[in-house]
Amino acid sequence: MTPSLDEAVSAIRKYAPNFNPKVGIILGSGLSSLAEQIQNPIAIPYQAFGLSTGGVAGHASLLILGHLNGVPVVCLKGRLHMYEGVSSDSVALLVRIVRQLGAKAIVITGASGSLRREVGAGEIMVINDHINFHPSNPLVGPNNEAIGPRFVSLENAYDSEFNEIFLRVAGQLGIPMHTGVYLATLGPVFETPAEIRAYKILGADAVGMSVVPEVIVARHCGLRVLGLAAITNLAVGMSTEHVTHEGTLHYGELTARKLVKMIPEFLKAVEPLLDG
Ligand code: HPA
């Protein structure tokens, strides 16, 4: 059973009654080193607010409150994936907690395979749109109007102003950056070579098993989104190297080193846009 949003948020508020995050951050596989940069962290296990977790290797499940570069954040270290068989309510709950705690924006990261030969492992792609190949959608079911509207526009879902700011920050730090379309599969299998060829024709630049359900829920509740595909491999069939979860974690750490530099600078740069 997924706890209600109000139950979960009041359990979290007991740990930090006066903490008001401005930005949420979801860390994907192998990307957890950013959480170590959080100052004065208050780490709350998901179980403490009633959410049971799947426990994939490489995903510890903690909600962490604290500051990054002086900006108050709520960081979700250890996301829930639909392929774990968890309900989409649980996936949605984590994003809605971010909003209910007061954040106006969310940074959603995810390990991904690249469909562009020139964008290899260790690179980062700023997501500018998505293609959803999940068989369902976390907003299916009765709509709670208090949270968001029944029909949600996904135009500019990946906030173009945020993307410009992130690209500028990357440029200032001298970190090469890419932009492109993220295609979400349910997983847990990696794609077949034929699927990757098909996804290329459809216009995908990166493929992964997360991000999109969270982006949909975030847009529903009015959070502005920065989506980042952390490239951990060339997609299946594009290289002689086999795609494995271990490889994902290894190259995830390489991208994490870049994200640790860029995300704090990005937060500082967007903070003035999030007041009021
Ligand atoms: N496909 C799907 N998900 C992934 C991949 C991939 O190639 N790499 C990391 N996550």
Side-chain angles (χ1 to χ4, degrees):
M1 266 291 285
T2 307
S4 78
L5 179 57
D6 288 342
E7 282 164 357
V9 169
S10 55
I12 293 164
R13 286 220 181 276
K14 290 204 179 97
Y15 286 80
N18 301 315
F19 188 83
N20 299 308
K22 285 193 178 164
V23 183
I25 304 172
I26 300 180
L27 297 175
S29 308
L31 303 177
S32 54
S33 54
L34 187 71
E36 286 149 28
Q37 306 292 315
I38 295 176
Q39 292 117 27
N40 304 320
I42 300 170
I44 307 167
Y46 292 179
Q47 287 92 335
F49 50 91
L51 194 60
S52 57
T53 54
V56 177
H59 308 289
S61 298
L62 294 172
L63 180 147
I64 305 170
L65 302 169
H67 286 80
L68 264 179
N69 207 8
V71 179
V73 296
V74 46
C75 182
L76 299 167
K77 181 177 171 234
R79 64 150 45 91
L80 301 180
H81 301 83
M82 295 304 298
Y83 64 68
E84 293 168 73
V86 297
S87 74
S88 58
D89 285 350
S90 300
V91 175
L93 178 72
L94 287 171
V95 177
R96 290 177 179 151
I97 286 171
V98 168
R99 180 73 189 96
Q100 190 89 346
L101 288 172
K104 302 269 178 58
I106 189 163
V107 177
I108 301 179
T109 65
S112 315
S114 170
L115 280 73
R116 298 221 313 253
R117 204 164 287 286
E118 76 281 10
V119 182
E123 301 281 313
I124 292 162
M125 192 182 285
V126 179
I127 304 173
N128 58 18
D129 207 345
H130 76 222
I131 298 171
N132 187 7
F133 267 27
H134 278 212
S136 189
N137 177 305
L139 301 182
V140 169
N143 185 53
N144 183 345
E145 290 287 327
I147 295 176
R150 168 79 288 185
F151 298 102
V152 181
S153 168
L154 293 180
E155 231 180 299
N156 202 35
Y158 300 84
D159 195 290
S160 54
E161 193 178 12
F162 281 11
N163 284 1
E164 273 172 36
I165 293 171
F166 193 82
L167 291 170
R168 193 176 70 224
V169 164
Q172 283 161 354
L173 292 169
I175 298 174
M177 200 50 49
H178 311 276
T179 53
V181 173
Y182 177 96
L183 185 145
T185 68
L186 179 62
V189 291
F190 290 109
E191 302 68 38
T192 65
E195 285 168 339
I196 292 299
R197 290 194 298 274
Y199 296 161
K200 262 192 206 172
I201 294 168
L202 291 177
D205 300 294
V207 62
M209 304 175 193
S210 58
V211 176
V212 164
E214 293 146 345
V215 170
I216 290 170
V217 175
R219 292 308 299 142
H220 178 245
C221 67
L223 286 164
R224 294 177 70 175
V225 172
L226 174 73
L228 299 172
I231 304 298
T232 57
N233 53 275
L234 284 178
V236 174
M238 292 179 62
S239 130
T240 49
E241 253 181 70
H242 293 299
V243 181
T244 62
H245 182 58
E246 292 68 33
T248 298
L249 296 180
H250 173 74
Y251 286 103
E253 276 160 31
L254 272 188
T255 61
R257 277 186 224 157
K258 297 180 183 171
L259 293 175
V260 161
K261 291 187 196 149
M262 284 185 286
I263 289 180
E265 294 302 321
F266 168 79
L267 294 175
K268 203 72 199 163
V270 291
E271 190 181 19
L273 303 180
L274 306 177
D275 290 328

